[in-house]
Amino acid sequence: MMQHLGTALITAFMERWQPDTNTFHMPFGEMSILLHDVHHILRIPVEGELMRDDPHPDVLKLDMHDLVRVPVDGPVGGKWKSKWFLNGGIHAEGLLVRGREMKIRDLEVQTYLFVLLGSTLFVDKSRDRLRPAINVFLKDQRRVAGYAWGAATLAYLYRQLGMATRVGSKSIFGCLTLLQAWIYEYFPLFRPSQILQAPDAPRASSWVCHRFAGGDDARQRLVRYRQMLDEMSGEDVSWTPYGRDAGTEVLRSLYTGVIRFADVAEGYDPARCRRQFGYRHTIPRTMMVPKDVYRPASCSTYIVFWEGSMDQLWGNLPSHFLHIAIDSDLCEYPSEADEDYMDWYRTRSHPRIINPDSGGVSLQRPVLVDEVSYVIIVQFLMYC
């Protein structure tokens, strides 16, 4: 699976991630992966119960042994080694084999879901070990379908992007399929070929991805991607790839507050990305600020702590909702922003990566047809 991920492309976007705002800082303003993107790209639920349970590590260790029906072989508390729980995770392949061996249907389903989610949505840096927090939300299989898995996936990816921006970080994990497909949806210059899918199919599966070479080729691609992003304007972005009804079709995407996966809590603020809803971009209101943040150069200790009351916002959507004056704020053209927005943005961001004196790159821009024009063209061809 990793061979189909474009490391250079993902790195080029990761370099532009700002963990304080959970947005990519581009030369033409901010963008982000939003809940309606998760809905369309992965087709997993973004509505449901917020995944806020965060048990103590010792409880997680005991849960792991209970899952595989093996007694604890060491003291609870402090450092201990176990065949099933080592270095903060449980071995994926061993768990899957154990689930089949036990021949208990509920446990076989639980271990399968555990491995599936841990190897796709909540990928750990170890690659072969799974985060034990996943199991917390699988123990009661009657509740599994009621969780907001899409919001949890996005929160976890936000956190991984934030950690990847640290000087001491050498890699990035999380649901990189979501990140790469998001890039393809919004940036035509990077798109591979696409196959026709059923309307309700995950859009991530429509992109025909090829294996990417590493080494010098990857480094050369990274330099070129940096240059391409520096030379882009808002006109090079497909701002509403799913149509202009993102906010009404996936209402939860307009939510403002905190999204969670166990101990990971990240701010979510669609007001910083209004153009992705088809509305004119304006200077955002005051930034959401956590109660405590610790993001050292080394990513081994990375803490973002929000007030406990922030979790309650999820259940009160109408009161924590991006309200937009539909008539006055609709974009006249897709990349529209208020006149003073870019002046405000340039004083607070670093829009470009490459030294401007080093020379730019010529972009071979594809011809973009907006949604309304496309409909008119299709109607003309059908009825002329």
Side-chain angles (χ1 to χ4, degrees):
M1 180 179 68
M2 300 295 289
Q3 292 175 322
H4 298 284
L5 294 173
T7 304
L9 183 60
I10 289 172
T11 300
F13 275 81
M14 177 272 293
E15 291 173 337
R16 295 166 188 271
W17 183 257
Q18 171 50 257
D20 286 323
T21 58
N22 281 339
T23 55
F24 296 103
H25 281 218
M26 311 300 287
F28 43 79
E30 294 177 81
M31 297 181 68
S32 191
I33 308 172
L34 300 172
L35 287 171
H36 66 271
D37 295 309
V38 180
H39 167 81
H40 288 287
I41 292 172
L42 299 181
R43 286 293 177 182
I44 58 177
V46 298
E47 275 288 1
E49 183 180 351
L50 195 64
M51 300 170 69
R52 61 169 63 91
D53 294 342
D54 179 23
H56 189 275
D58 285 342
V59 175
L60 294 176
K61 294 174 185 178
L62 293 171
D63 278 349
M64 292 300 98
H65 284 80
D66 183 59
L67 175 63
V68 296
R69 294 297 194 265
V70 173
V72 177
D73 52 0
V76 177
K79 292 184 178 180
W80 63 311
K81 292 184 178 181
S82 165
K83 173 184 177 182
W84 297 103
F85 193 96
L86 184 64
N87 296 328
I90 187 167
H91 193 267
E93 186 176 352
L95 177 62
L96 196 57
V97 171
R98 181 60 177 164
R100 292 168 180 163
E101 290 176 346
M102 289 185 289
K103 299 186 182 303
I104 302 174
R105 181 169 178 77
D106 286 351
L107 290 180
E108 188 174 356
V109 170
Q110 187 175 341
T111 54
Y112 174 76
L113 288 175
F114 197 162
V115 174
L116 178 65
L117 295 169
S119 58
T120 55
L121 303 185
F122 308 106
V123 181
D124 188 80
K125 64 180 179 180
S126 63
R127 297 192 183 184
D128 63 345
R129 291 193 301 275
L130 308 175
R131 291 178 62 92
I134 301 170
N135 185 53
V136 174
F137 307 100
L138 300 176
K139 290 190 292 184
D140 186 350
Q141 293 182 21
R142 296 169 299 179
R143 298 178 62 186
V144 170
Y147 288 118
W149 291 99
T153 300
L154 188 58
Y156 188 70
L157 180 57
Y158 279 1
R159 176 60 55 86
Q160 294 299 319
L161 281 165
M163 293 174 66
T165 63
R166 304 298 90 188
V167 173
S169 179
K170 298 180 181 179
S171 55
I172 179 174
F173 297 95
C175 187
L176 299 184
T177 298
L178 170 60
L179 173 55
Q180 182 163 289
W182 179 86
I183 295 171
Y184 293 159
E185 293 286 352
Y186 284 88
F187 295 87
L189 286 170
F190 300 123
R191 286 177 183 169
S193 57
Q194 192 174 18
I195 57 177
L196 186 64
Q197 295 274 60
D200 57 347
R203 291 172 70 110
S205 62
S206 69
W207 300 105
V208 182
C209 299
H210 305 286
R211 293 190 177 188
F212 291 89
D216 292 338
D217 287 341
R219 283 188 284 271
Q220 292 172 4
R221 284 199 305 274
L222 175 57
V223 172
R224 176 164 177 79
Y225 290 152
R226 288 169 175 164
Q227 294 172 331
M228 291 174 68
L229 288 172
D230 275 358
E231 295 297 323
M232 281 187 183
S233 69
E235 284 69 34
D236 294 309
V237 177
S238 176
W239 289 100
T240 53
Y242 330 106
R244 286 176 169 258
D245 297 323
T248 55
E249 184 180 355
V250 186
L251 197 61
R252 178 59 69 174
S253 195
L254 294 171
Y255 160 78
T256 302
V258 169
I259 51 178
R260 286 194 64 141
F261 169 64
D263 61 324
V264 174
E266 291 289 339
Y268 177 85
D269 188 359
R272 308 189 75 91
C273 309
R274 291 164 58 96
R275 284 180 286 196
Q276 289 175 240
F277 294 96
Y279 299 103
R280 186 179 70 255
H281 206 62
T282 59
I283 296 175
R285 60 178 182 277
T286 304
M287 184 177 67
M288 295 175 59
V289 179
K291 181 179 180 180
D292 188 24
V293 176
Y294 182 62
R295 301 188 184 106
S298 171
C299 60
S300 58
T301 304
Y302 188 106
I303 299 172
V304 181
F305 180 71
W306 297 82
E307 293 283 0
S309 59
M310 292 295 289
D311 281 350
Q312 308 306 317
L313 305 183
W314 182 263
N316 190 11
L317 179 60
S319 298
H320 304 282
F321 191 85
L322 174 60
H323 293 284
I324 303 174
I326 296 178
D327 293 332
S328 61
D329 286 0
L330 279 172
C331 283
E332 293 185 10
Y333 55 92
S335 61
E336 186 181 6
D338 281 354
E339 292 182 3
D340 54 351
Y341 170 73
M342 287 306 299
D343 291 336
W344 171 90
Y345 178 65
R346 291 189 188 98
T347 63
R348 290 163 175 81
S349 181
H350 191 276
R352 288 178 168 78
I353 299 293
I354 301 294
N355 185 335
D357 295 333
S358 64
V361 61
S362 177
L363 296 182
Q364 300 297 318
R365 292 181 167 93
V367 177
L368 299 181
V369 180
D370 63 71
E371 183 184 10
V372 175
S373 299
Y374 177 77
V375 172
I376 293 173
I377 292 171
V378 170
Q379 290 176 340
F380 174 79
L381 293 175
M382 289 178 64
Y383 301 111
C384 65

